[in-house]
Amino acid sequence: MANALSSLGNLVITVAVARSVDAATFGWYALALVFVALSVGVLRSAILESVLARPAGQQMMFGHIVELLVPSAVLCLVSAALGIIIGRTEFLMVGLGLPGLSVFDYLRNALIVNRRSVFALAMEGAWTAATVAGIVLFEISVCKVSVAFGIWCLAPTAIAWVAWTRLGRPKIATGTDRAFSPLFALDYLVGAGSSQLATAVLGATVVGAIRAGATLFGPVNLITNAIRPILIARIAAGEASVVRSLRMASSMAAVTAVIACVALIIPDGVGVQLLGASWDAAASVRLPLALEAILGFFAGVAFAGQRALAPAAQILATRGILGVVRVGLVLVGVATFGLLGAAWALPLVTGLGCGVWWFGYWRADRSARRSTSERCVGG
């Protein structure tokens, strides 16, 4: 439920911006959102997933929150500098909100993993309410859409601070207890981050079209991101096997397929109301993005298994190879067939990655079970 609210908040702000600006301007907003996704994703991988991959990581996971502050502050400065250099206020607002948004994301996932979903739901509800309030103010002409976007960027900071104080400001991890993993961070950048980077280098127009299209499949992508931390924790604790993970992935794929099909049949009239001038380009890439969303869920489940069981260096190597292939195919696709070529390259690489991750998960699980069996026999 908490993740459903997060999806709703992201959807309404994207729709509000898309309806009120031209396709080129929306492309700049989309690039700013790509920066948010890259920044939050790399910090989630470097710290949260590093904690969850430890068998006893959940015991003190709230103590790692301070480790987010320095890297998120660096990303804040990078985004602000980009905003000044290219003259776009979207990047300035994103930069100001990044530290608080990173802490918010960590706390939300930590609460869900620790089975405190009601607390996480309250946090998401507050953010969604603030976002909707900003959009209402824009719709009744009290403020510009950029102000509503700024509220979306900055509200998580206040919410995260209140949540942190309500948790009693847990003991901070120090020394050898620290969890920040540069390998996990680099792994995200060359892996999942390559998907964002591959389209970002193509410019605001292509990014705007793909981002607008991806908005239609936001619930599918959110399910993938939300379930991964939970799976990592359960697999690391020995509570889930490859077979159970595959069954879960198959059942959830039916849900994601239904969501994808609904997005594919949205009439043009409704689409224009949702995305304004960005609809035509977004509609043209719906089918490849639907396939990527479904395949991405399958790949995400298998990746969670490897994150919990396989060495970080091995995962990094796999992600690096897939990242190079992804960027290469997207560039070849756009050079050959334009926007559609770039869009169809995404599910092609995701499908390849799906096979690679499941094979790797099966091998890691088999190795872990063999080691456990040998210890039992030897003990």
Side-chain angles (χ1 to χ4, degrees), residues 56-88:
Q58 296 181 52
Q59 295 177 6
M60 194 181 168
M61 65 186 311
F62 292 107
H64 296 279
I65 203 74
V66 173
E67 293 178 65
L68 287 163
L69 299 182
V70 172
S72 64
V74 172
L75 291 169
C76 166
L77 293 175
V78 170
S79 184
L82 280 173
I84 294 171
I85 292 170
I86 63 179
R88 304 298 309 191

Side-chain angles (χ1 to χ4, degrees), residues 222-235:
L222 187 74
I223 291 171
T224 303
N225 292 330
I227 206 167
R228 191 169 69 184
I230 299 171
L231 278 174
I232 292 173
R234 291 183 179 177
I235 293 169

Side-chain angles (χ1 to χ4, degrees), residues 54-132:
R54 303 176 180 186
Q58 296 181 52
Q59 295 177 6
M60 194 181 168
M61 65 186 311
F62 292 107
H64 296 279
I65 203 74
V66 173
E67 293 178 65
L68 287 163
L69 299 182
V70 172
S72 64
V74 172
L75 291 169
C76 166
L77 293 175
V78 170
S79 184
L82 280 173
I84 294 171
I85 292 170
I86 63 179
R88 304 298 309 191
T89 57
E90 300 93 337
F91 282 87
L92 289 171
M93 288 185 287
V94 161
L96 290 174
L98 265 176
L101 182 55
S102 299
V103 173
F104 180 97
D105 180 78
Y106 185 98
L107 285 175
R108 176 189 61 191
N109 284 291
L111 287 164
I112 292 173
V113 169
N114 279 271
R115 295 177 172 83
R116 300 177 68 177
S117 298
V118 174
F119 200 153
L121 179 63
M123 290 176 64
E124 283 294 353
W127 189 16
T128 302
T131 301
V132 171

Side-chain angles (χ1 to χ4, degrees), residues 237-310:
E239 298 175 5
S241 63
V242 173
V243 174
R244 288 186 63 184
S245 298
L246 184 58
R247 287 175 182 168
M248 185 275 294
S250 299
S251 61
M252 291 300 295
V255 177
T256 60
V258 170
I259 297 172
C261 287
V262 171
L264 288 173
I265 61 174
I266 293 176
D268 286 341
V270 176
V272 171
Q273 288 297 314
L274 284 173
L275 299 176
S278 299
W279 169 251
D280 288 340
S284 69
V285 296
R286 279 185 293 177
L287 181 56
L289 293 182
L291 292 174
E292 189 203 16
I294 296 170
L295 290 170
F297 179 81
F298 267 100
V301 172
F303 173 78
Q306 282 203 250
R307 174 66 87 204
L309 301 175

Side-chain angles (χ1 to χ4, degrees), residues 104-270:
F104 180 97
D105 180 78
Y106 185 98
L107 285 175
R108 176 189 61 191
N109 284 291
L111 287 164
I112 292 173
V113 169
N114 279 271
R115 295 177 172 83
R116 300 177 68 177
S117 298
V118 174
F119 200 153
L121 179 63
M123 290 176 64
E124 283 294 353
W127 189 16
T128 302
T131 301
V132 171
I135 293 171
V136 169
L137 291 175
F138 160 67
E139 292 291 348
I140 62 176
S141 302
V142 172
C143 66
K144 296 181 179 180
V145 72
S146 58
V147 175
F149 183 73
I151 292 172
W152 178 85
C153 292
L154 297 173
T157 302
I159 297 167
W161 173 252
V162 173
W164 175 250
T165 55
R166 293 284 295 175
L167 286 168
R169 302 181 187 180
K171 179 182 177 183
I172 303 301
T174 58
T176 56
D177 291 329
R178 290 178 180 171
F180 185 88
S181 171
L183 272 180
F184 279 23
L186 184 60
D187 165 54
Y188 178 86
L189 284 175
V190 301
S194 67
S195 177
Q196 306 283 356
L197 292 170
T199 53
V201 299
L202 302 177
T205 302
V206 173
V207 174
I210 291 179
R211 183 80 192 191
T215 298
L216 303 174
F217 308 100
V220 178
N221 297 323
L222 187 74
I223 291 171
T224 303
N225 292 330
I227 206 167
R228 191 169 69 184
I230 299 171
L231 278 174
I232 292 173
R234 291 183 179 177
I235 293 169
E239 298 175 5
S241 63
V242 173
V243 174
R244 288 186 63 184
S245 298
L246 184 58
R247 287 175 182 168
M248 185 275 294
S250 299
S251 61
M252 291 300 295
V255 177
T256 60
V258 170
I259 297 172
C261 287
V262 171
L264 288 173
I265 61 174
I266 293 176
D268 286 341
V270 176

